[in-house]
Amino acid sequence: MQADIEHILIDRQAIADRVRALADQITRDHCGELPEQGGDVAKLDGRSLVPVNPAAAADITLVPILTGSFIFVADLIRHLPVMVQIGLLSISSYAGTATTSRGTTIREELTHLPPSLEGKHVLLVDDILDSGQTLALAAELLAERNPASLRTCVLLRKRRPEAMAFNADYVAFDIPDEFVVGYGLDFNDYYRNLPDIVTLKPKVVEAARRSETAT
Ligand code: IMP
Ligand code: MG
């Protein structure tokens, strides 16, 4: 697997630092300010679970889009010192046929959302913003359920006009418009377990594409 890597675009330490900073920003946006340390309450990552201003007590419903965001969301929630719930949304990307909505479809069997999102602060989480179709479909679906707020968070955003045009609220990294894997992102469902975000050697991608067209 390591031999297939061309180069490391973002290493694990840079990811960890940025995910933590992003979690602080998300906490501030939902609470007003970071919860204070101390007090006789359960501790998470050295910070109190009780926000400074109890009236602004944050309660966030995170909705990761499967499968690519599972590692990102697992790291992110462990830096959110507030009440969080998780819903799951699975979306497949297709080239765009008459039977699919804007090239993407909801995979109902892998989708598990809370019965109601009414009045909830919802944060949609995806691994990468590319054409924006996946997040657009997900946001449309969740907006129909009348949440109090709906924000979007992506680990990566490709520097291409369609991705930039989608107004994501939180972006961990802007990257060049190239194919990357690792930290949850896949190629043919492999390489998700790589701890860094990397590019693959062209011959690996070409070989897989050739065997795909041969079958
Ligand atoms: P979009 O709908 O075009 O924005 O695509 C988003 C989905 O495509 C992501 O959730 C990924 O599953 C996949 N994707 C897009 N670019 C890459 C990439 O560079 N590596 C791995 N998966 C990608
Ligand atoms: Mg994928």
Side-chain angles (χ1 to χ4, degrees):
M1 183 172 69
Q2 269 71 18
D4 298 344
I5 297 172
E6 171 140 283
H7 77 272
I8 295 179
L9 193 65
I10 309 168
D11 69 34
R12 61 200 79 179
Q13 190 57 54
I15 298 170
D17 293 347
R18 183 67 186 120
V19 168
R20 191 184 183 108
L22 205 62
D24 284 351
Q25 194 186 337
I26 291 167
T27 305
R28 274 194 300 272
D29 290 354
H30 287 82
C31 283
E33 47 196 310
L34 280 177
E36 254 176 1
Q37 289 199 25
D40 187 21
V41 289
K43 291 281 180 57
L44 190 66
D45 198 26
R47 286 172 293 183
S48 158
L49 283 168
V50 179
V52 171
N53 173 7
D59 185 340
I60 311 175
T61 303
L62 279 96
V63 180
I65 300 176
L66 298 177
T67 305
S69 63
F70 77 116
I71 295 180
F72 176 39
V73 84
D75 283 346
L76 188 69
I77 58 171
R78 283 177 288 174
H79 291 299
L80 292 176
V82 299
M83 300 298 279
V84 301
Q85 290 183 310
I86 303 282
L88 300 174
L89 192 52
S90 180
I91 295 184
S92 305
S93 306
Y94 290 98
T97 65
T99 54
T100 59
S101 162
R102 289 182 303 179
T104 46
T105 52
I106 308 282
R107 297 169 71 193
E108 301 285 349
E109 71 283 9
L110 293 174
T111 291
H112 182 77
L113 292 170
S116 168
L117 291 177
E118 186 109 26
K120 296 274 187 185
H121 294 286
V122 175
L123 182 63
L124 246 178
V125 183
D126 205 3
D127 53 356
I128 189 164
L129 182 50
D130 187 9
S131 72
Q133 291 190 340
T134 303
L135 268 180
L137 179 67
E140 195 180 291
L141 180 93
L142 296 184
E144 282 167 7
R145 298 176 179 224
N146 297 320
S149 69
L150 176 60
R151 292 179 169 104
T152 50
C153 174
V154 290
L155 175 70
L156 306 173
R157 176 172 62 184
K158 288 193 181 173
R159 283 195 203 94
R160 56 178 282 199
E162 298 87 341
M164 295 309 207
F166 186 94
N167 268 328
D169 296 286
Y170 305 101
V171 178
F173 299 98
D174 277 315
I175 61 162
D177 187 5
E178 55 186 343
F179 194 79
V180 293
V181 297
Y183 196 70
L185 289 111
D186 73 301
F187 175 55
N188 284 349
D189 220 19
Y190 287 108
Y191 305 105
R192 296 192 196 273
N193 51 327
L194 287 171
D196 308 304
I197 293 164
V198 308
T199 57
L200 292 173
K201 287 180 180 155
K203 67 172 189 197
V204 175
V205 180
E206 281 153 24
R209 293 214 166 115
R210 263 201 310 277
S211 67
E212 217 169 64
T213 49
T215 52

